[in-house]
Amino acid sequence: GDSVTQMEGPVTLSEEAFLTINCTYTATGYPSLFWYVQYPGEGLQLLLKATKADDKGSNKGFEATYRKETTSFHLEKGSVQVSDSAVYFCALTYNQGGKLIFGQGTELSVKP
Amino acid sequence: DADVTQTPRNRITKTGKRIMLECSQTKGHDRMYWYRQDPGLGLRLIYYSFDVKDINKGEISDGYSVSRQAQAKFSLSLESAIPNQTALYFCATSDPYRDAEFGANVLTFGAGSRLTVL
């Protein structure tokens, strides 16, 4: 079946460090890929998405590229801030379904 | 007010008790979902509803039931709670055809309901 695998956390970085959170997926078709972020005490919110191969999603300085050849959608940010501390979830869905398959989440902690 | 509101936000109960978690939305979305979040497991889908007359089981529906009372309301029930149902529960909504900022198939989540079963 379809699945999403993320790198284990927690990831601890200093402010202004470069961030990469790895995400790989297994899918029978051609899904859309998402990164959601969960700030402490809140629900998940969409960070970025990509709907087809080679698409790059970007938002708030984060970006991820849909790589069909490596079945990956790694999240990157050039310079993290303390306010980026959160749990990040990679997810996939097929069109019109709305049913997301989530990875296990990766906690990011950014220290001043 | 939040677009997706969940009540209660926190609940502690005992094994065997019946529990209802409620979700209401002002997004006008037809599709609603219930997920549970467990540490290290991400979010798993319990039930989903594509309209008032359409209810579907997700990957972990055993021990749960749902009711879609109206387009805006979707409640999750645990008929006889057990300790391994201790988790953080999220309600979410989506509209497959329109989302002003990010396009289709984006979920809007509530803030979550933390349930502890002793």
Side-chain angles (χ1 to χ4, degrees):
Chain A
D2 299 337
S3 65
V4 176
T5 302
Q6 297 179 227
M7 63 185 287
E8 287 196 22
V11 174
T12 302
L13 296 174
S14 297
E15 206 165 20
E16 300 184 0
F18 184 86
L19 168 71
T20 299
I21 299 178
N22 290 337
C23 170
T24 57
Y25 67 91
T26 302
T28 53
Y30 301 98
S32 295
L33 301 175
F34 301 80
W35 278 100
Y36 278 80
V37 58
Q38 183 182 28
Y39 297 105
E42 299 182 11
L44 282 72
Q45 55 186 273
L46 182 71
L47 181 59
L48 53 85
K49 67 180 279 189
T51 57
K52 62 183 186 295
D54 299 325
D55 269 2
K56 178 185 285 187
S58 61
N59 186 32
K60 299 181 181 179
F62 292 89
E63 59 182 34
T65 301
Y66 190 152
R67 302 285 188 198
K68 182 169 174 285
E69 64 276 13
T70 54
T71 62
S72 66
F73 193 54
H74 303 322
L75 182 69
E76 296 182 335
K77 187 174 185 182
S79 177
V80 293
Q81 305 300 311
V82 173
S83 57
D84 293 326
S85 297
V87 181
Y88 292 81
F89 291 91
C90 186
L92 67 81
T93 190
Y94 293 95
N95 288 339
Q96 307 303 319
K99 295 177 292 176
L100 288 173
I101 296 171
F102 285 90
Q104 71 269 39
T106 302
E107 182 180 358
L108 170 66
S109 178
V110 181
K111 306 298 185 185
Chain B
D1 288 341
D3 292 326
V4 181
T5 302
Q6 294 183 231
T7 57
R9 292 293 312 279
N10 288 283
R11 181 73 183 270
I12 299 173
T13 191
K14 295 182 179 179
T15 298
K17 294 292 187 181
R18 184 178 187 274
I19 295 297
M20 179 180 287
L21 305 180
E22 298 185 336
C23 176
S24 63
Q25 54 120 343
T26 58
K27 297 283 288 185
H29 289 171
D30 286 328
R31 297 182 174 186
M32 298 186 74
Y33 311 81
W34 276 104
Y35 284 88
R36 69 176 274 178
Q37 182 181 19
D38 298 277
L41 295 179
L43 278 77
R44 293 178 291 167
L45 183 62
I46 307 172
Y47 270 95
Y48 62 101
S49 170
F50 281 2
D51 65 41
V52 176
K53 297 181 180 179
D54 179 72
I55 303 289
N56 303 280
K57 293 182 178 181
E59 61 179 307
I60 54 162
S61 59
D62 287 349
Y64 301 95
S65 63
V66 291
S67 174
R68 185 80 184 266
Q69 301 95 326
Q71 187 206 38
K73 295 183 182 297
F74 191 38
S75 59
L76 176 71
S77 293
L78 289 68
E79 296 302 325
S80 180
I82 57 177
N84 75 2
Q85 291 177 313
T86 293
L88 184 56
Y89 291 84
F90 286 103
C91 176
T93 73
S94 75
D95 186 312
Y97 303 110
R98 53 181 173 86
D99 182 282
E101 186 177 4
F102 283 106
N105 297 318
V106 172
L107 297 188
T108 300
F109 284 85
S113 295
R114 184 169 296 281
L115 176 65
T116 302
V117 183
L118 302 176

